Amino acid sequence: MNYQQFYKKSVDNPQEFWGEEARRIHWHAPYTRVLDDSNTPFNKWFVGGQTNLCYNAVDRWVESQGDSPALIAVSTETAADGLPVEKIYSFRELQAEVERAAAMMQALGVVRGDRVLVYMPMIAEATFAMLACARIGAVHSVVFGGFAANSLATRIDDAKPKLIVSADAGSRAGRPVPYKPLLDEAIRLATHKPEHVLLVNRQLVPMQLTPGRDVDYGTLREQHINARVPVTWLESNDISYILYTSGTTGKPKGVQRDVGGYAVALASSMQHVYCGKPGETFFATSDIGWVVGHSYIVYGPLIAGMATIMYEGLPIRPDAGIWWNLVEKYRVTRMFSAPTAIRVLRKQPPEFMRQYDLSSLQALYLAGEPLDETTSAWIAGELGVPVIDNYWQTETGWPILSVAKGIEDTPTRLGSPGLPMPGFKVKIVNELNGQACGANEKGVVAIEAPLPPGCMQTVFGDDKRFVDTYWSNFSNEQLYSTFDWGIRDSDGYYFILGRTDDVINVAGHRLGTREIEESISSHPNVSEVAVVGVEDKLKGQVAVAFVIPKDAAAMETTESRRLMEMEVMGVVDRQLGAVARPSRVHLVSLLPKTRSGKLLRRAVQAICEGRDAGDLTTIEDPASLAQIREAVAKG
Ligand code: PRX
């Protein structure tokens, strides 16, 4: 079968296609229907089937390859010299740790359907916690460790977890980053209170346990050292997890995923896109707090019977060879990273990667942000393997566009993430009426219902928001909006041209400008604020803030300006986390708005990027633009 036939079958006959793909995973009880699309967009995959993500990722492999590596946890953060500290868990050992964690959760009152929030650094216990939830049918919600108290509090209030699993600290460039004080502050801010907090004590910083609420992971683990916790068989459409992601409003959306459809989609993509085989090693350099970490650090590789590397540390510490050292050492066959990381490495002397034997590596996959041609060509030249761009979203859970090298050796095209992956009926449509665009015509990337297995079921707790956000942008209610601009060339290759909404992408991290604005607004001397994403050579985009102070005295001297700018950055650091901190804060006395009061965000962005500000006939006061220009020119 070639790609065209493969893809055609997936969209023409989804029942048959996905019925065959479903054989890649273990079903405890068979499903009665592959797809129930009677209530679009709330489609159900593998209705009535019983399965379990943890079983497919762990137990299933214990018999055939119980002693082979499953989880390779590497940290270059915890040894003083920055050298890697490595621990390998075989499938059997992973199973034992997951059963312990599951027993611990049960001892703390967690039952099927309960939410468990995981706020963890990149340590093995984070994976144990996720898999333990999956094992007992609890719903995990992993929150990126780089997020701070307010971000965490919003998620606690939305997910209402019974339990939070966390640690004393993460670490960055060898310096501990305390988690516990942020977590305590988040719980104080949140209306919902978890019953318990389970804390891994890495002994990186001193930690105070709150009596009655906080429990030490190590101590409780000892009590459950021989625990056997049977798998809870779940219906395919039960909830596996919630993962919050940013959108147009200030309130993050809880992307909710199922069990069976997700397992099948991952197994299928591991075969056709990532081409991994049992016994090989997969290395995704993302973080478990993002969707790539869920799909391709934890679940995907393990479901495919591969070992997965979980890496805590920077790509350039102790030196820029560290990733390639791991590739050599663990004979990594497939690697997954983000363009920003490769741009960081490109600034380093190439000797660092050239000193390692990279002959095991067969392909490098890059996703999360646009892949520029220079970066792509450079790394392909250095590695001598195909570099495969893949485009997807937290919402879809696995690639929408890529090339299916497992099916056919389809050529890649520089600057393009490729062709639709199975089941994704991708269209480029007019932003206003949803009509299909012609070849090479810019429009919104949309996907026709039904979305394939593995995609989000709904927004957690808010079906209406799911429909209103994703399925109501065009008159055709069968069209899902990705909120990305794109074009398709005459050969069917797609090109992604940035977001249509207020989402920005900083170093592959998806952030909402509205969330940053809301945070900045909480500063007592901020009257108005606009945050825009501005093109950046290294990070793809950075956030830039324009602030109108209430008290104009803040604008008077260089010193008072600097102080105010630092304070604004400090607010974002404390509330959302350094990941969301604007790279620049400019003080102005006016923001460009339309006469009806709508902020001309695109005009601000254009000025920051040195482009023409576009049609400004509706602007209320042109002096506002002059101020933005002046502020940007000053740098
Ligand atoms: O704008 C697109 C961009 O990242 C967004 C999704 O981010 P997130 O939900 O964090 O999921 C990342 C999963 C890899 C998209 O809407 N994006 C993602 N991949 C690409 C991309 N933009 C261009 N090229 C890509 N390959």
Side-chain angles (χ1 to χ4, degrees):
M1 204 185 327
N2 64 23
Y3 162 78
Q4 288 302 342
Q5 294 160 330
F6 167 76
Y7 175 71
K8 192 168 183 309
K9 179 169 174 188
S10 78
V11 291
D12 289 353
N13 197 345
Q15 307 267 356
E16 191 184 324
F17 180 90
W18 291 110
E20 284 167 17
E21 291 299 310
R23 293 195 202 124
R24 299 187 186 282
I25 69 155
H26 171 84
W27 293 93
H28 177 68
Y31 46 84
T32 49
R33 263 179 97 177
V34 174
L35 168 66
D36 172 0
D37 58 358
S38 57
N39 187 25
T40 297
F42 300 96
N43 295 322
K44 293 190 161 110
W45 288 97
F46 310 111
V47 183
Q50 288 184 15
T51 186
N52 183 289
L53 279 165
C54 179
Y55 182 88
N56 277 286
V58 184
D59 303 61
R60 182 176 173 219
W61 300 104
V62 168
E63 207 166 296
S64 57
Q65 51 184 64
D67 297 323
S68 320
L71 178 65
I72 303 168
V74 182
S75 176
T76 50
E77 291 289 340
T78 44
D81 49 11
L83 288 176
V85 177
E86 296 156 66
K87 181 136 181 35
I88 304 178
Y89 299 85
S90 66
F91 277 94
R92 201 183 312 283
E93 287 163 337
L94 179 60
Q95 184 188 44
E97 290 294 353
V98 170
E99 289 192 74
R100 287 168 194 141
M104 289 154 69
M105 288 180 183
Q106 287 177 332
L108 295 172
V110 175
V111 298
R112 180 174 177 169
D114 282 343
R115 271 81 58 211
V116 174
L117 190 141
V118 177
Y119 179 60
M120 296 274 263
M122 285 286 286
I123 55 176
E125 287 83 354
T127 296
F128 304 157
M130 291 168 74
L131 291 167
C133 287
R135 187 170 196 86
I136 62 174
V139 175
H140 61 67
S141 182
V142 183
V143 177
F144 175 56
F147 282 134
N150 288 53
S151 306
L152 198 45
T154 320
R155 289 156 175 81
I156 293 173
D157 274 335
D158 196 76
K160 300 188 173 51
K162 187 178 264 184
L163 172 72
I164 296 182
V165 187
S166 190
D168 55 341
S171 178
R172 197 169 163 80
R175 279 187 299 278
V177 179
Y179 276 30
K180 181 64 166 46
L182 297 186
L183 181 58
D184 285 341
E185 172 65 3
I187 296 174
R188 193 186 66 74
L189 290 170
T191 312
H192 172 86
K193 308 292 177 198
E195 285 175 20
H196 290 289
V197 179
L198 184 59
L199 289 148
V200 176
N201 191 351
R202 309 177 72 193
Q203 305 195 329
L204 294 179
V205 293
M207 166 165 72
Q208 284 287 316
L209 296 191
T210 304
R213 187 195 73 186
D214 296 353
V215 182
D216 178 66
Y217 190 104
T219 312
L220 193 59
R221 178 179 172 275
E222 284 306 315
Q223 293 167 19
H224 295 278
I225 204 80
N226 296 316
R228 298 307 321 232
V229 178
V231 161
T232 301
W233 297 108
L234 303 172
E235 200 275 335
S236 180
N237 292 277
D238 282 343
I239 311 176
S240 60
Y241 69 73
I242 308 163
L243 179 57
Y244 288 89
T245 192
S246 303
T248 301
T249 68
K251 187 174 178 270
K253 293 181 288 273
V255 167
Q256 176 186 315
R257 227 181 281 295
D258 70 356
V259 175
Y262 187 50
V264 171
L266 291 181
S268 174
S269 63
M270 286 306 298
Q271 171 78 21
H272 304 306
V273 182
Y274 300 105
C275 313
K277 295 192 187 57
E280 295 181 353
T281 306
F282 197 84
F283 180 17
T285 69
S286 181
D287 187 285
I288 48 147
W290 306 111
V291 71
V292 175
H294 284 63
S295 293
Y296 298 110
I297 294 177
V298 179
Y299 291 113
L302 294 174
I303 286 175
M306 299 178 84
T308 184
I309 297 182
M310 191 177 182
Y311 173 68
E312 180 189 47
L314 300 177
I316 50 169
R317 187 175 176 274
D319 61 49
I322 179 64
W323 283 358
W324 316 107
N325 178 343
L326 297 178
V327 169
E328 175 186 284
K329 185 159 182 191
Y330 296 107
R331 308 294 298 154
V332 171
T333 55
R334 308 273 159 178
M335 187 164 166
F336 189 137
S337 192
T340 295
I342 305 302
R343 286 192 289 264
V344 167
L345 291 176
R346 189 167 162 247
K347 290 183 164 238
Q348 305 287 325
E351 291 72 57
F352 284 116
M353 62 194 296
R354 290 190 188 147
Q355 64 184 299
Y356 295 103
D357 170 11
L358 305 180
S359 57
S360 61
L361 195 65
Q362 290 168 34
L364 172 69
Y365 297 83
L366 296 174
E369 53 178 321
L371 172 60
D372 58 284
E373 297 183 12
T374 319
T375 305
S376 174
W378 173 75
I379 192 70
E382 283 297 325
L383 297 176
V385 298
V387 170
I388 300 170
D389 189 356
N390 50 130
Y391 159 78
W392 46 294
Q393 312 182 298
T394 305
E395 288 85 345
T396 65
W398 62 286
I400 302 167
L401 300 173
S402 189
V403 283
K405 291 278 186 194
I407 292 293
E408 186 188 10
D409 194 13
T410 316
T412 54
R413 199 162 280 194
L414 277 180
S416 163
L419 308 165
M421 289 298 94
F424 285 104
K425 293 192 259 181
V426 185
K427 302 228 151 17
I428 302 288
V429 300
N430 180 286
E431 65 174 310
L432 300 174
N433 59 22
Q435 296 294 316
C437 294
N440 297 314
E441 197 186 322
K442 180 175 168 180
V444 179
V445 182
I447 309 169
E448 210 173 278
L451 300 182
C455 295
M456 76 187 288
Q457 292 180 296
T458 185
V459 172
F460 178 68
D462 200 344
D463 286 348
K464 183 171 179 306
R465 193 168 176 205
F466 175 58
V467 176
D468 291 350
T469 304
Y470 297 103
W471 299 92
S472 308
N473 295 279
F474 315 106
S475 49
N476 177 354
E477 285 168 7
Q478 302 279 319
L479 268 187
Y480 164 92
S481 176
T482 62
F483 295 96
D484 280 303
W485 295 111
I487 56 169
R488 184 182 50 231
D489 71 12
S490 47
D491 298 323
Y493 281 79
Y494 285 81
F495 294 79
I496 303 298
L497 308 171
R499 297 280 303 195
T500 66
D501 59 4
D502 299 329
V503 166
I504 61 172
N505 198 320
V506 180
H509 300 326
R510 175 168 163 183
L511 302 167
T513 52
R514 292 286 164 89
E515 278 168 272
I516 305 176
E517 287 173 358
E518 281 179 19
S519 169
I520 292 177
S521 299
S522 73
H523 184 287
N525 195 23
V526 170
S527 154
E528 283 184 58
V529 54
V531 172
V532 295
V534 176
E535 210 172 85
D536 180 84
K537 280 207 160 52
L538 188 66
K539 297 182 172 181
Q541 277 186 309
V542 290
V544 173
F546 293 87
V547 168
I548 306 182
K550 280 187 188 144
D551 179 357
M555 296 180 65
E556 266 163 24
T557 64
T558 318
E559 206 39 50
S560 64
R561 281 175 173 271
R562 184 158 329 124
L563 196 67
M564 174 85 183
E565 289 168 11
M566 298 290 286
E567 276 182 32
V568 166
M569 291 194 188
V571 167
V572 178
D573 273 9
R574 275 195 304 283
Q575 295 191 354
L576 304 182
V579 63
R581 182 200 303 154
S583 71
R584 276 306 319 263
V585 176
H586 297 290
L587 303 187
V588 290
S589 62
L590 266 181
L591 284 171
K593 292 197 183 145
T594 61
R595 274 170 227 119
S596 57
K598 202 169 165 288
L599 184 72
L600 289 163
R601 205 182 281 275
R602 297 225 176 121
V604 177
Q605 188 186 31
I607 293 173
C608 292
E609 294 183 347
R611 290 183 283 113
D612 179 46
D615 175 19
L616 295 169
T617 43
T618 59
I619 195 164
E620 189 177 52
D621 184 349
S624 55
L625 282 183
Q627 276 206 31
I628 303 273
R629 276 199 194 93
E630 202 183 317
V632 172
K634 277 194 193 143

